[in-house]
Amino acid sequence: MNTTRRSVLASAASLAAFGSAFPLRALAADAYPSKPITYTVAFPPGGTSDILARLIADKLGPALKGTVIVENKAGAGGSVGSEIVSHAAPDGYTLLGGTISSHAINVSLYPKLGYDPVKSFVPVTLIGTNPLVLLVKADSPYKTAKDLATAAKSKPLTAASAGNGTSQHLALELFKYKLGLKDVVHVPYKGSGPALQDTLAGQVDMMFDTTVAAAQFIESGKLRALAVTSAKRVSSLPDVPTIAETVLPGFEVVSWQAIFAPAGTPKPLVDRLNGEIGKILATADMQERLTKLGMLSQPMTSDQVLAFQKSEVTKWAEVIKAANIKVD
């Protein structure tokens, strides 16, 4: 009798445990969100990450029948905000706007990074990619990327960037590394603005920058675009070839923007967010805004983003080690 009773109680307990572990999780996903969602941007207000976050948040809130609040937690190339989110509850109420810097480059730059860019997060979606463009002053003697590479093998040249460890800097280092250019001197600036100004003034020979930042100077004829770093030509610069087709087959560098959640966030919530944000990014007005920002929208599942991110971590670790890059 006692044995039977114990068996019945054990079975009841097992069913209760099963019910709490699975159906309630599904119900939680259906009822989500029941409170405001915080979308943390790991960079200052006004930048690309911040602009994208606010565009998406404005549409994601209504799509989820809830509220999405954007907060900026900037510092150390996105590391400060990323570390904060890595410690948040994995309940779908904290999201992070991450980038190539915070989730691929920083792990090889900062010896005491407070989070693991892969293990501390689960990718929600990739927002889009933004190619860089190789630039020289309009009256520069270099007409193509091949001209520049040939010159760099025979005499010292200088190259500006937005700062040590930025995607602009690493694009330069990968270019040098693949071509064996040892006499191109990197000149780091505190941001794209001053770097572009000195390139315009002829104080440096060249620089890589985003198509967004460089567009006005290319259109005005003040800078010459030699090549873009994407695998294919970009629609905003259709006459500018890729580095891959001119001097380095297989070369590709894109800055990218993605959304992450703390590791352990339930898959049903991640999948729902992925689907809702994917719909938002596919709308005509968002496509227009992304195009103006020089971005290419590339819908991906969470697993696809993870595979892409891991490949980026490996690629930039190799470049940073080979170039012995140190943070400022």
Side-chain angles (χ1 to χ4, degrees), residues 132 166-175 208 229 251 253 316:
L132 305 180
T166 60
S167 58
Q168 294 95 326
H169 176 202
L170 294 185
L172 167 67
E173 294 298 344
L174 184 61
F175 184 73
F208 284 91
T229 62
F251 186 94
V253 175
W316 295 119

Side-chain angles (χ1 to χ4, degrees), residues 141-299:
Y142 312 119
K143 303 293 193 299
T144 66
K146 188 173 183 179
D147 289 345
L148 193 63
T150 300
K153 290 179 179 180
S154 61
K155 62 180 181 180
L157 296 179
T158 53
S161 85
N164 282 332
T166 60
S167 58
Q168 294 95 326
H169 176 202
L170 294 185
L172 167 67
E173 294 298 344
L174 184 61
F175 184 73
K176 290 166 54 180
Y177 177 54
K178 294 292 186 181
L179 287 171
L181 305 178
K182 300 185 182 299
D183 292 328
V184 176
V185 179
H186 171 231
V187 184
Y189 289 78
K190 293 189 180 297
S192 289
L196 282 166
Q197 290 303 318
D198 270 12
T199 305
L200 286 164
Q203 298 299 314
V204 290
D205 296 303
M206 61 177 173
M207 77 171 290
F208 284 91
D209 208 344
T210 64
T211 52
V212 180
Q216 60 177 312
F217 302 110
I218 296 171
E219 292 172 1
S220 66
K222 295 179 179 179
L223 287 177
R224 179 184 298 147
L226 301 186
V228 291
T229 62
S230 48
K232 298 179 180 180
R233 296 191 184 196
V234 298
S235 58
S236 58
L237 297 169
D239 297 326
V240 180
T242 67
I243 287 177
E245 69 183 277
T246 54
V247 69
L248 269 175
F251 186 94
E252 182 180 11
V253 175
V254 289
S255 181
W256 48 267
Q257 301 276 343
I259 299 176
F260 296 86
T265 301
K267 189 175 186 301
L269 296 185
V270 172
D271 290 344
R272 185 177 175 194
L273 287 165
N274 178 281
E276 294 294 351
I277 296 170
K279 293 175 187 176
I280 290 168
L281 294 175
T283 60
D285 59 329
M286 278 298 293
Q287 285 293 308
E288 182 180 354
R289 293 300 297 268
L290 289 172
T291 299
K292 288 181 178 179
L293 288 169
M295 299 196 73
L296 174 65
S297 176
Q298 294 181 277

Side-chain angles (χ1 to χ4, degrees), residues 289-310:
R289 293 300 297 268
L290 289 172
T291 299
K292 288 181 178 179
L293 288 169
M295 299 196 73
L296 174 65
S297 176
Q298 294 181 277
M300 287 187 182
T301 65
S302 177
D303 289 342
Q304 288 172 331
V305 179
L306 180 60
F308 169 69
Q309 181 194 4
K310 286 180 176 179

Side-chain angles (χ1 to χ4, degrees), residues 24-110:
L24 286 182
R25 177 173 291 182
L27 287 173
D30 292 339
Y32 171 84
S34 60
K35 63 181 181 179
I37 297 169
T38 299
Y39 186 147
T40 298
V41 177
F43 298 89
T48 302
S49 297
D50 182 68
I51 292 170
L52 290 171
R54 296 179 190 281
L55 288 172
I56 292 170
D58 283 348
K59 295 179 179 292
L60 183 58
L64 294 173
K65 295 182 173 59
T67 302
V68 180
I69 301 169
V70 177
E71 290 186 353
N72 297 85
K73 301 289 184 181
S79 297
V80 173
S82 298
E83 182 174 358
I84 291 171
V85 172
S86 73
H87 298 301
D91 56 7
Y93 289 96
T94 304
L95 302 177
L96 172 70
T99 70
I100 184 176
S101 296
S102 62
H103 282 72
I105 293 173
N106 288 356
V107 67
S108 295
L109 281 179
Y110 295 92

